[in-house]
Amino acid sequence: MPSSQLVHLLGLSNTGYETGDVLKPLLIILAWTVVLTVVSVILYQRRLKDE
């Protein structure tokens, strides 16, 4: 879930982390955003056809 990824990002200290430690959770959040946007557009288009 995206919220668990944000918790992971907040848990990183200011020092001692690599780019991959930050990049992976951000990519997961981006993937969730893309998937949910596509689903929203599809559902909206179906709703327009029903009316």
Side-chain angles (χ1 to χ4, degrees):
M1 295 307 251
S3 59
S4 64
Q5 299 305 316
L6 290 173
V7 169
H8 174 72
L9 285 173
L10 290 174
L12 294 175
S13 64
N14 290 337
T15 59
Y17 64 88
E18 298 175 7
T19 305
D21 295 337
V22 176
L23 192 59
K24 183 179 176 185
L26 289 177
L27 289 175
I28 292 171
I29 293 170
L30 178 64
W32 273 96
T33 303
V34 169
V35 168
L36 293 177
T37 301
V38 168
V39 168
S40 297
V41 168
I42 290 170
L43 291 176
Y44 180 72
Q45 292 296 325
R46 284 187 182 177
R47 179 121 178 147
L48 283 179
K49 289 180 183 177
D50 290 341
E51 292 179 356

